[in-house]
Amino acid sequence: MSLLALKERSAAHPAGRTPKVEFRNITKRFDSTEALSVVSFAGMAGSVHAITGENGAGKSTLMKLLAGVYPPDSGEILFDGRAIRFDSPAAARAAGVSTVFQELTLLPNLTIAENLFLGREPRRFGFADRSAMRRQAHAVLQRVGVDLHPDVTCGDLAIAEQHLVEIAKGAAAQADIVIYDEPTAALDAPGVDKLARLIEDQRRAGKLVFYISHRLDEIFRLCDMTTVLKDGKHVRTCPTADLTHDALVSLMVGRELARLYPERGAKPSTAEAALRVTDFVARPGGAAVSFAVARGEIVGLAGIEGHGQREIIRALAGLAPHMAGGALKFDRDGSAKPLGGSIVATARAGVGFVPEDRKTEGLYQPLSIQENIGLGMLRGASMMARAKIDRNRVRALMQQMNVRARDDRQSVSSLSGGNQQKVMIGRWLASGVDVLLIEEPTRGVDVGAKAEIYRLLRAFVDAGGAALITSSELTEHIGLCDRILIIREGAIVAELAGEEATEETVMSYALIGRPPERASR
Ligand code: ADP
Ligand code: MG
């Protein structure tokens, strides 16, 4: 075993340098999801190492293992050739790992300086030395290129500024290993440039920087090495210079679609629009989009996270105001109702919305399945009103949707993610809406429940409904949708029939706004 390991080592690192960090056969599961499956690769000091792959590939989980957020189920992490094991994020920090995660971790009631040095304030005669702290904070902010006073309370900062302070906090930590998890999602272009300079400094200082991103231009600009993960498995680690855009896209995608998806319906001969969106601008300064969704159709808004799909569907749902243009929902008799006012108006127009985050936005967790489904029947009435609910109808729906629960009185908080999602969709089916707007129809759902949700949606449109979805899973767009609208920087850059789309073409449009150079598969 040790001989084998030695052999692998010398093959992987011909120069004979010991890697700063080595992952060996790392496996991590969450319930039924294998987030990481025997992942092995190494990162060298003095390099910027991209970790890339589609959403759900396991990138964040891997970095959280390195940051001591949780331990691997099996496998080892080696630092400078020695196996280490962290019991806590504090232990990882003490060992020189600094992390800038997607979630903001600043305490809003503390100042920038206090946040930067939280838990390791400079001390003098046993007391926190506030002036030293302020001085050092100022220096770090300068280094990151942030023009903010250290005494400003973090709660008063704009979100983008908070992200910059978050980055400064990572830089203040004086670590050998710095992890950035999709750091540019909330940054503007100058913010990205500042970050790029900081990362370059960190590389020159001999640190190992792990840079998680699925933005190809950033990977090619910043990273020496690239590791691709897919569905929790290691696909490749190689110098970024050995890759082209197209090659990287192929590594990130390129998987056979399982027979997880129902047959697409026959194309309706008269495309009767159920939803028509015209010159619709969903975010300030954003592009205008126009499209329609016909009865019998499932249409997907695809694209890289942060490119505006979410804003479009949310503005249509009435959750956020739109800036310009309009959207109409057509009833079967041809009468039109405007969309995009409020969530209640949306429901009154016969349009259901299923949000991405069921736990906080979608379901009333303490209430029973019966009440959650029944709420849809009270459409237009106060959503929280608990009125008489047709239990027989609810039970019939639960059966039709194959909701696995003891009975309809069980609280939804005790259901699995897949069953919660079915309850969400069931609520709208019960209400008799004929247009559904769905964010991430199957996020966090196991593969069996996925197939059932796809079947439900297909049955819904086959019966004359229309559905618009967003999804971060390309395969879901390709497998489920009749048409895919690809959004890049807020605009529709391409429309593909689900049947002819490949992951490669969708990804290429989403990333670079044009089809792949090679002929697609
Ligand atoms: P990525 O960062 O590449 O998008 P993640 O590491 O966040 O991927 O997730 C990998 C897989 O593990 C996904 O299927 C995700 O749903 C699942 N997962 C991640 N964290 C948790 C968690 N705390 N509980 C349950 N499942 C999780
Ligand atoms: Mg992630």
Side-chain angles (χ1 to χ4, degrees):
M1 187 62 203
S2 61
L3 193 67
L4 186 65
L6 204 66
K7 216 168 121 197
E8 277 170 6
R9 162 76 55 83
S10 58
H13 314 292
R17 270 168 75 205
T18 306
K20 182 74 207 167
V21 170
E22 185 172 350
F23 296 100
R24 266 198 207 159
N25 303 321
I26 297 287
T27 295
K28 176 77 188 172
R29 353 179 93 256
F30 297 105
D31 305 322
S32 60
T33 312
E34 192 155 63
L36 292 168
S37 175
V38 267
V39 169
S40 302
F41 69 92
M44 309 302 285
S47 73
V48 182
H49 193 131
I51 312 285
T52 190
E54 292 181 290
N55 288 334
K59 307 180 294 290
S60 296
T61 302
L62 184 68
M63 290 300 115
K64 283 179 180 167
L65 298 179
L66 183 57
V69 177
Y70 23 62
D73 294 339
S74 60
E76 289 186 311
I77 302 176
L78 289 82
F79 273 26
D80 300 316
R82 282 189 305 276
I84 47 100
R85 204 168 175 85
F86 299 133
D87 317 330
S88 67
R93 274 196 299 276
V97 181
S98 153
T99 47
V100 180
F101 283 127
Q102 282 159 301
E103 306 89 41
L104 287 166
T105 62
L106 302 176
L107 299 176
N109 52 342
L110 298 188
T111 66
I112 294 178
E114 286 164 340
N115 266 293
L116 291 183
F117 293 98
L118 195 64
R120 42 184 201 87
E121 294 85 356
R123 289 188 174 272
R124 199 155 172 252
F125 311 123
F127 294 99
D129 181 346
R130 297 194 64 86
S131 69
M133 187 163 96
R134 211 174 282 128
R135 232 175 16 251
Q136 291 176 26
H138 181 72
V140 172
L141 291 169
Q142 288 275 295
R143 201 143 68 79
V144 181
V146 184
D147 199 14
L148 292 169
H149 196 280
D151 286 343
V152 174
T153 306
C154 283
D156 294 337
L157 298 173
I159 295 291
E161 291 172 332
Q162 293 194 29
H163 278 280
L164 286 170
V165 173
E166 200 73 57
I167 287 166
K169 192 173 152 192
Q174 306 287 1
D176 293 340
I177 299 162
V178 188
I179 301 168
Y180 294 99
D181 193 344
E182 300 194 29
T184 56
L187 298 182
D188 54 7
V192 174
D193 288 340
K194 283 172 192 163
L195 178 65
R197 277 197 296 275
L198 175 67
I199 287 177
E200 183 51 35
D201 288 349
Q202 290 172 331
R203 184 225 316 260
R204 273 207 224 106
K207 297 174 196 286
L208 165 57
V209 178
F210 280 117
Y211 189 84
I212 303 187
S213 179
H214 44 208
R215 299 188 176 181
L216 298 197
D217 47 349
E218 289 173 8
I219 295 173
F220 282 99
R221 172 177 170 194
L222 298 173
C223 302
D224 311 285
M225 295 293 290
T226 296
T227 288
V228 181
L229 299 178
K230 179 165 183 55
D231 298 332
K233 298 188 183 63
H234 178 256
V235 177
R236 184 173 304 173
T237 296
C238 67
T240 312
D242 291 355
L243 295 167
T244 61
H245 273 62
D246 284 346
L248 185 49
V249 171
S250 303
L251 292 175
M252 288 162 75
V253 295
R255 146 183 61 180
E256 290 300 308
L257 283 190
R259 281 221 50 92
L260 181 61
Y261 301 99
E263 288 289 319
R264 278 176 255 252
K267 279 268 125 50
S269 52
T270 56
E272 186 197 334
L275 176 67
R276 183 177 300 284
V277 178
T278 311
D279 298 331
F280 194 81
V281 178
R283 58 181 182 191
V289 295
S290 299
F291 61 92
V293 184
R295 293 188 186 282
E297 261 195 327
I298 303 175
V299 172
L301 297 176
I304 304 298
E305 237 169 83
H307 276 247
Q309 310 84 281
R310 180 183 161 88
E311 283 81 0
I312 295 170
I313 202 163
R314 298 210 142 208
L316 289 173
L319 246 68
H322 58 282
M323 311 299 136
L328 292 173
K329 147 80 180 11
F330 295 93
D331 286 340
R332 280 164 198 273
D333 64 7
S335 61
K337 299 193 180 83
L339 274 191
S342 70
I343 188 88
V344 174
T346 305
R348 286 218 177 100
V351 177
F353 173 60
V354 180
E356 173 181 336
D357 190 349
R358 300 182 284 272
K359 283 215 157 46
T360 58
E361 294 181 308
L363 293 168
Y364 303 102
Q365 292 286 340
L367 302 191
S368 66
I369 300 171
Q370 181 209 129
E371 287 164 311
N372 267 286
I373 292 184
L375 280 170
M377 298 177 189
L378 310 173
R379 169 158 70 87
S382 158
M383 289 295 275
M384 283 305 288
R386 295 209 203 177
K388 279 196 291 304
I389 286 163
D390 181 348
R391 286 194 67 185
N392 289 333
R393 178 97 189 275
V394 169
R395 290 209 195 99
L397 264 166
M398 281 178 65
Q399 197 165 19
Q400 188 194 328
M401 295 189 300
N402 207 0
V403 173
R404 270 173 286 270
R406 285 191 308 277
D407 67 20
D408 60 335
R409 283 187 243 218
Q410 189 175 339
S411 85
V412 297
S413 59
S414 62
L415 296 178
S416 72
N419 285 307
Q420 289 193 3
Q421 185 72 339
K422 287 189 240 168
V423 170
M424 272 298 309
I425 294 174
R427 171 195 296 168
W428 292 116
L429 298 181
S431 75
V433 300
D434 55 354
V435 172
L436 281 176
L437 307 173
I438 308 183
E439 288 183 327
E440 302 291 343
T442 63
R443 175 165 283 180
V445 168
D446 68 51
V447 75
K450 273 188 177 192
E452 279 164 17
I453 289 169
Y454 297 145
R455 195 175 46 72
L456 277 172
L457 290 178
R458 183 50 68 186
F460 169 75
V461 301
D462 281 349
L468 179 69
I469 72 159
T470 61
S471 172
S472 47
E473 286 184 51
L474 280 184
T475 49
E476 188 159 277
H477 284 286
I478 294 168
L480 179 67
C481 295
D482 297 288
R483 280 188 299 134
I484 305 169
L485 306 174
I486 302 159
I487 311 286
R488 181 166 181 270
E489 292 169 1
I492 298 175
V493 291
E495 174 185 329
L496 300 171
E499 265 156 4
E500 63 192 36
T502 63
E503 291 188 62
E504 203 179 5
T505 48
V506 177
M507 199 69 166
S508 181
Y509 277 115
L511 288 168
I512 55 183
R514 55 178 169 80
E517 265 141 36
R518 282 177 292 114
S520 60
R521 282 166 289 161

PDB file of all heavy atoms in Angstrom, residues 169-187:
ATOM      1  N   LYS A 169     -11.102  39.987   5.023  1.00  0.00           N
ATOM      2  CA  LYS A 169     -10.987  39.139   6.211  1.00  0.00           C
ATOM      3  C   LYS A 169     -10.138  37.902   5.889  1.00  0.00           C
ATOM      4  O   LYS A 169      -9.286  37.490   6.683  1.00  0.00           O
ATOM      5  CB  LYS A 169     -12.395  38.728   6.646  1.00  0.00           C
ATOM      6  CG  LYS A 169     -12.473  38.106   8.003  1.00  0.00           C
ATOM      7  CD  LYS A 169     -13.947  37.904   8.371  1.00  0.00           C
ATOM      8  CE  LYS A 169     -14.097  36.730   9.309  1.00  0.00           C
ATOM      9  NZ  LYS A 169     -15.509  36.339   9.449  1.00  0.00           N
ATOM     10  N   GLY A 170     -10.375  37.329   4.715  1.00  0.00           N
ATOM     11  CA  GLY A 170      -9.564  36.192   4.284  1.00  0.00           C
ATOM     12  C   GLY A 170      -8.102  36.589   4.148  1.00  0.00           C
ATOM     13  O   GLY A 170      -7.201  35.858   4.537  1.00  0.00           O
ATOM     14  N   ALA A 171      -7.869  37.786   3.609  1.00  0.00           N
ATOM     15  CA  ALA A 171      -6.492  38.243   3.396  1.00  0.00           C
ATOM     16  C   ALA A 171      -5.809  38.569   4.720  1.00  0.00           C
ATOM     17  O   ALA A 171      -4.592  38.405   4.864  1.00  0.00           O
ATOM     18  CB  ALA A 171      -6.486  39.480   2.499  1.00  0.00           C
ATOM     19  N   ALA A 172      -6.593  39.017   5.714  1.00  0.00           N
ATOM     20  CA  ALA A 172      -6.022  39.389   7.009  1.00  0.00           C
ATOM     21  C   ALA A 172      -5.571  38.162   7.779  1.00  0.00           C
ATOM     22  O   ALA A 172      -4.781  38.266   8.724  1.00  0.00           O
ATOM     23  CB  ALA A 172      -7.057  40.160   7.833  1.00  0.00           C
ATOM     24  N   ALA A 173      -6.058  37.005   7.384  1.00  0.00           N
ATOM     25  CA  ALA A 173      -5.842  35.807   8.200  1.00  0.00           C
ATOM     26  C   ALA A 173      -4.417  35.262   8.129  1.00  0.00           C
ATOM     27  O   ALA A 173      -4.057  34.402   8.906  1.00  0.00           O
ATOM     28  CB  ALA A 173      -6.843  34.730   7.805  1.00  0.00           C
ATOM     29  N   GLN A 174      -3.578  35.755   7.216  1.00  0.00           N
ATOM     30  CA  GLN A 174      -2.179  35.305   7.153  1.00  0.00           C
ATOM     31  C   GLN A 174      -2.064  33.797   7.005  1.00  0.00           C
ATOM     32  O   GLN A 174      -1.326  33.158   7.735  1.00  0.00           O
ATOM     33  CB  GLN A 174      -1.408  35.710   8.417  1.00  0.00           C
ATOM     34  CG  GLN A 174      -1.462  37.167   8.770  1.00  0.00           C
ATOM     35  CD  GLN A 174      -0.614  38.037   7.845  1.00  0.00           C
ATOM     36  OE1 GLN A 174       0.008  37.524   6.909  1.00  0.00           O
ATOM     37  NE2 GLN A 174      -0.616  39.320   8.078  1.00  0.00           N
ATOM     38  N   ALA A 175      -2.853  33.223   6.110  1.00  0.00           N
ATOM     39  CA  ALA A 175      -2.868  31.777   5.969  1.00  0.00           C
ATOM     40  C   ALA A 175      -1.968  31.319   4.824  1.00  0.00           C
ATOM     41  O   ALA A 175      -1.639  32.094   3.943  1.00  0.00           O
ATOM     42  CB  ALA A 175      -4.294  31.316   5.721  1.00  0.00           C
ATOM     43  N   ASP A 176      -1.583  30.022   4.852  1.00  0.00           N
ATOM     44  CA  ASP A 176      -0.819  29.443   3.738  1.00  0.00           C
ATOM     45  C   ASP A 176      -1.738  28.979   2.620  1.00  0.00           C
ATOM     46  O   ASP A 176      -1.321  28.832   1.483  1.00  0.00           O
ATOM     47  CB  ASP A 176      -0.064  28.193   4.202  1.00  0.00           C
ATOM     48  CG  ASP A 176       1.011  28.537   5.184  1.00  0.00           C
ATOM     49  OD1 ASP A 176       1.427  29.706   5.216  1.00  0.00           O
ATOM     50  OD2 ASP A 176       1.421  27.628   5.928  1.00  0.00           O
ATOM     51  N   ILE A 177      -2.971  28.672   3.020  1.00  0.00           N
ATOM     52  CA  ILE A 177      -3.933  28.154   2.055  1.00  0.00           C
ATOM     53  C   ILE A 177      -5.148  29.058   2.097  1.00  0.00           C
ATOM     54  O   ILE A 177      -5.721  29.287   3.158  1.00  0.00           O
ATOM     55  CB  ILE A 177      -4.339  26.710   2.423  1.00  0.00           C
ATOM     56  CG1 ILE A 177      -3.098  25.816   2.396  1.00  0.00           C
ATOM     57  CG2 ILE A 177      -5.410  26.184   1.468  1.00  0.00           C
ATOM     58  CD1 ILE A 177      -3.283  24.523   3.128  1.00  0.00           C
ATOM     59  N   VAL A 178      -5.506  29.603   0.944  1.00  0.00           N
ATOM     60  CA  VAL A 178      -6.640  30.516   0.901  1.00  0.00           C
ATOM     61  C   VAL A 178      -7.680  29.929  -0.051  1.00  0.00           C
ATOM     62  O   VAL A 178      -7.355  29.548  -1.175  1.00  0.00           O
ATOM     63  CB  VAL A 178      -6.226  31.910   0.390  1.00  0.00           C
ATOM     64  CG1 VAL A 178      -7.368  32.891   0.548  1.00  0.00           C
ATOM     65  CG2 VAL A 178      -4.992  32.412   1.129  1.00  0.00           C
ATOM     66  N   ILE A 179      -8.909  29.851   0.427  1.00  0.00           N
ATOM     67  CA  ILE A 179      -9.986  29.279  -0.378  1.00  0.00           C
ATOM     68  C   ILE A 179     -10.985  30.376  -0.726  1.00  0.00           C
ATOM     69  O   ILE A 179     -11.460  31.081   0.163  1.00  0.00           O
ATOM     70  CB  ILE A 179     -10.736  28.181   0.409  1.00  0.00           C
ATOM     71  CG1 ILE A 179      -9.780  27.064   0.820  1.00  0.00           C
ATOM     72  CG2 ILE A 179     -11.906  27.636  -0.405  1.00  0.00           C
ATOM     73  CD1 ILE A 179     -10.371  26.103   1.836  1.00  0.00           C
ATOM     74  N   TYR A 180     -11.289  30.505  -2.010  1.00  0.00           N
ATOM     75  CA  TYR A 180     -12.352  31.421  -2.436  1.00  0.00           C
ATOM     76  C   TYR A 180     -13.447  30.590  -3.078  1.00  0.00           C
ATOM     77  O   TYR A 180     -13.203  29.892  -4.053  1.00  0.00           O
ATOM     78  CB  TYR A 180     -11.834  32.414  -3.477  1.00  0.00           C
ATOM     79  CG  TYR A 180     -10.803  33.374  -2.943  1.00  0.00           C
ATOM     80  CD1 TYR A 180      -9.451  33.148  -3.146  1.00  0.00           C
ATOM     81  CD2 TYR A 180     -11.189  34.509  -2.241  1.00  0.00           C
ATOM     82  CE1 TYR A 180      -8.502  34.034  -2.662  1.00  0.00           C
ATOM     83  CE2 TYR A 180     -10.242  35.399  -1.755  1.00  0.00           C
ATOM     84  CZ  TYR A 180      -8.904  35.158  -1.963  1.00  0.00           C
ATOM     85  OH  TYR A 180      -7.980  36.032  -1.487  1.00  0.00           O
ATOM     86  N   ASP A 181     -14.657  30.667  -2.541  1.00  0.00           N
ATOM     87  CA  ASP A 181     -15.767  29.905  -3.115  1.00  0.00           C
ATOM     88  C   ASP A 181     -16.668  30.851  -3.899  1.00  0.00           C
ATOM     89  O   ASP A 181     -17.431  31.609  -3.327  1.00  0.00           O
ATOM     90  CB  ASP A 181     -16.557  29.201  -2.010  1.00  0.00           C
ATOM     91  CG  ASP A 181     -17.522  28.158  -2.568  1.00  0.00           C
ATOM     92  OD1 ASP A 181     -17.802  28.191  -3.785  1.00  0.00           O
ATOM     93  OD2 ASP A 181     -18.001  27.317  -1.796  1.00  0.00           O
ATOM     94  N   GLU A 182     -16.578  30.804  -5.199  1.00  0.00           N
ATOM     95  CA  GLU A 182     -17.340  31.681  -6.100  1.00  0.00           C
ATOM     96  C   GLU A 182     -17.356  33.122  -5.599  1.00  0.00           C
ATOM     97  O   GLU A 182     -18.415  33.702  -5.354  1.00  0.00           O
ATOM     98  CB  GLU A 182     -18.744  31.133  -6.293  1.00  0.00           C
ATOM     99  CG  GLU A 182     -18.678  29.735  -6.894  1.00  0.00           C
ATOM    100  CD  GLU A 182     -19.996  29.231  -7.446  1.00  0.00           C
ATOM    101  OE1 GLU A 182     -20.800  30.065  -7.879  1.00  0.00           O
ATOM    102  OE2 GLU A 182     -20.187  28.025  -7.469  1.00  0.00           O
ATOM    103  N   PRO A 183     -16.165  33.709  -5.469  1.00  0.00           N
ATOM    104  CA  PRO A 183     -16.083  35.015  -4.821  1.00  0.00           C
ATOM    105  C   PRO A 183     -16.614  36.149  -5.676  1.00  0.00           C
ATOM    106  O   PRO A 183     -16.937  37.208  -5.145  1.00  0.00           O
ATOM    107  CB  PRO A 183     -14.580  35.195  -4.597  1.00  0.00           C
ATOM    108  CG  PRO A 183     -13.938  34.397  -5.685  1.00  0.00           C
ATOM    109  CD  PRO A 183     -14.845  33.213  -5.901  1.00  0.00           C
ATOM    110  N   THR A 184     -16.717  35.977  -6.964  1.00  0.00           N
ATOM    111  CA  THR A 184     -17.055  37.127  -7.798  1.00  0.00           C
ATOM    112  C   THR A 184     -18.546  37.265  -8.063  1.00  0.00           C
ATOM    113  O   THR A 184     -18.975  38.209  -8.701  1.00  0.00           O
ATOM    114  CB  THR A 184     -16.328  37.067  -9.153  1.00  0.00           C
ATOM    115  OG1 THR A 184     -16.660  35.834  -9.779  1.00  0.00           O
ATOM    116  CG2 THR A 184     -14.836  37.162  -8.975  1.00  0.00           C
ATOM    117  N   ALA A 185     -19.338  36.319  -7.537  1.00  0.00           N
ATOM    118  CA  ALA A 185     -20.778  36.354  -7.812  1.00  0.00           C
ATOM    119  C   ALA A 185     -21.380  37.711  -7.439  1.00  0.00           C
ATOM    120  O   ALA A 185     -22.245  38.228  -8.131  1.00  0.00           O
ATOM    121  CB  ALA A 185     -21.480  35.221  -7.072  1.00  0.00           C
ATOM    122  N   ALA A 186     -20.898  38.293  -6.331  1.00  0.00           N
ATOM    123  CA  ALA A 186     -21.503  39.548  -5.860  1.00  0.00           C
ATOM    124  C   ALA A 186     -20.635  40.773  -6.149  1.00  0.00           C
ATOM    125  O   ALA A 186     -20.908  41.854  -5.660  1.00  0.00           O
ATOM    126  CB  ALA A 186     -21.768  39.445  -4.359  1.00  0.00           C
ATOM    127  N   LEU A 187     -19.571  40.592  -6.934  1.00  0.00           N
ATOM    128  CA  LEU A 187     -18.667  41.723  -7.184  1.00  0.00           C
ATOM    129  C   LEU A 187     -18.936  42.366  -8.545  1.00  0.00           C
ATOM    130  O   LEU A 187     -19.309  41.693  -9.496  1.00  0.00           O
ATOM    131  CB  LEU A 187     -17.208  41.249  -7.155  1.00  0.00           C
ATOM    132  CG  LEU A 187     -16.689  40.671  -5.839  1.00  0.00           C
ATOM    133  CD1 LEU A 187     -15.223  40.308  -5.998  1.00  0.00           C
ATOM    134  CD2 LEU A 187     -16.875  41.660  -4.697  1.00  0.00           C
TER     135      LEU A 187
END
